[in-house]
């Protein structure tokens, strides 16, 4: 089955490095399309703030996996969840200037 990219409300200033984050939701669509779940789902970069948001499913293609959003060596914020709604809410919150400005002067 083909899934559209997941709509997200992202404020200006973020560049999409890659986007394979689709509307597939394991809770709604079941286990038939586990290939949608991979380690490289979405990466956003804000040059001015020098911040990266990295979204992936670990381990890839596994029902036991989890979505993780982190910077590899020392995350400033992190979420681990199977809830698509929760992941979307965090991405939209983290890309909001009022939220990430606290990390701009690090």
């Amino acid at each position: 089955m083909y899934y559209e990219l997941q709509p997200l409300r992202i404020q200006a200033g973020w560049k999409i490095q890659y986007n394979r984050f689709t509307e597939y939701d394991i809770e709604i669509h079941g286990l038939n399309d586990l290939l949608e779940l991979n380690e490289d789902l979405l990466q956003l970069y804000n040059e001015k703030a020098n911040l990266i948001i990295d979204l992936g499913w670990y381990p890839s293609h596994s029902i036991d996996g989890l979505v993780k959003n982190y910077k590899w060596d020392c995350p400033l914020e992190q979420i681990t969840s199977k809830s698509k709604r929760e992941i979307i809410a965090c991405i939209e919150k983290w890309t909001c200037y009022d939220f990430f400005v606290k990390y701009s002067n690090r």
Side-chain angles (χ1 to χ4, degrees):
M1 180 172 206
Y2 175 77
Y3 298 95
E4 297 287 334
L5 290 177
Q6 177 64 51
L8 296 168
R9 293 174 296 210
I10 297 174
Q11 292 191 4
W14 290 89
K15 294 179 183 179
I16 300 170
Q17 306 289 67
Y18 56 82
N19 186 1
R20 295 175 199 91
F21 186 38
T22 67
E23 291 183 325
Y24 172 73
D25 188 333
I26 198 167
E27 293 178 9
I28 296 169
H29 301 106
L31 305 178
N32 295 333
D33 294 310
L34 289 178
L35 291 177
E36 292 290 320
L37 305 176
N38 63 69
E39 293 181 14
D40 298 322
L41 291 174
L42 175 69
Q43 190 173 89
L44 305 173
Y45 175 64
N46 187 298
E47 186 173 357
K48 186 173 182 179
N50 194 30
L51 294 173
I52 293 173
I53 295 176
D54 187 61
L55 177 67
W57 185 271
Y58 300 89
S60 285
H61 318 301
S62 170
I63 182 62
D64 296 322
L66 293 169
V67 174
K68 294 184 180 182
N69 219 335
Y70 63 91
K71 187 175 176 198
W72 308 270
D73 52 353
C74 56
L76 299 173
E77 300 282 339
Q78 182 172 335
I79 183 172
T80 302
S81 177
K82 287 187 181 187
S83 168
K84 183 117 184 200
R85 185 177 304 165
E86 185 178 13
I87 296 298
I88 292 168
C90 281
I91 291 170
E92 291 177 349
K93 173 182 160 187
W94 293 347
T95 59
C96 178
Y97 178 80
D98 292 338
F99 179 81
F100 75 79
V101 70
K102 64 185 172 186
Y103 297 117
S104 295
N105 297 323
R106 55 184 174 95

